[in-house]
Amino acid sequence: MDERWYTMDRPKSKYPKMSMSDRAAQFAPFAALTGHKEAILEQERITQTKRILSNEEKLEINEKIVEMVKLKSKCRITYFEKDKTKSGGQYLKRVLSFKRIDELNKILCFKENIQIQIEDIVDIEVLEK
């Protein structure tokens, strides 16, 4: 058996030696399914369904809106906000300062730069100025 192989020098490459960080990057973990984790988290996110108000509830809300418009005051409002990516949405409760009403589009506009469809309101409480 020829035993010269272990005494031979290592062959020299014609390419420059790779840095340790570049070499380590070759073996870095990699996600074969990019976006999969985000998709699962999005699917797990819970949304609520919008409830339908009775005519009495709608009338009560309209009366409170008229009062708020007269007083140009703040209100504590609970409304449904539709989710941008999946069916359903969520109910939000905020204290907002009334600015104006867009009667044509049935939208309440507030000084905080928020617009709410009147049909999305489930509760409104007029607060003192």
Side-chain angles (χ1 to χ4, degrees):
M1 179 168 171
D2 189 12
E3 303 206 6
R4 289 183 304 180
W5 65 269
Y6 61 87
T7 59
M8 296 173 70
D9 289 335
R10 182 174 176 195
K12 303 288 182 205
S13 173
K14 59 183 176 181
Y15 301 105
K17 191 170 182 180
M18 187 181 286
S19 72
M20 290 300 269
S21 63
D22 287 344
R23 186 164 170 76
Q26 290 181 0
F27 303 101
F30 128 140
L33 300 172
T34 41
H36 183 67
K37 183 178 180 180
E38 291 80 10
I40 289 174
L41 291 173
E42 175 63 20
Q43 190 65 31
E44 289 176 346
R45 193 169 53 85
I46 297 172
T47 58
Q48 298 172 311
T49 55
K50 183 178 176 182
R51 71 181 184 98
I52 308 300
L53 299 177
S54 69
N55 288 335
E56 292 81 23
E57 289 172 312
K58 290 177 185 177
L59 186 61
E60 187 179 324
I61 288 171
N62 284 336
E63 289 171 357
K64 290 178 180 180
I65 290 173
V66 168
E67 181 184 352
M68 181 186 62
V69 170
K70 282 182 192 175
L71 297 173
K72 294 195 183 289
S73 67
K74 285 188 173 188
C75 67
R76 181 175 290 116
I77 189 166
T78 305
Y79 63 99
F80 183 79
E81 183 175 77
K82 187 172 177 358
D83 196 281
K84 291 173 178 51
T85 56
K86 58 195 290 190
S87 66
Q90 63 180 336
Y91 283 97
L92 301 174
K93 186 179 246 181
R94 294 188 170 155
V95 174
L96 300 169
S97 301
F98 176 75
K99 183 177 182 181
R100 68 180 181 85
I101 187 168
D102 179 350
E103 292 183 35
L104 180 64
N105 297 312
K106 298 180 181 174
I107 295 174
L108 292 180
C109 302
F110 296 93
K111 292 178 183 173
E112 293 81 3
N113 224 11
I114 293 175
Q115 297 182 347
I116 301 172
Q117 290 282 141
I118 292 175
E119 67 183 27
D120 291 337
I121 298 170
V122 293
D123 189 33
I124 187 166
E125 178 186 345
V126 179
L127 303 174
E128 299 300 317
K129 263 191 159 179

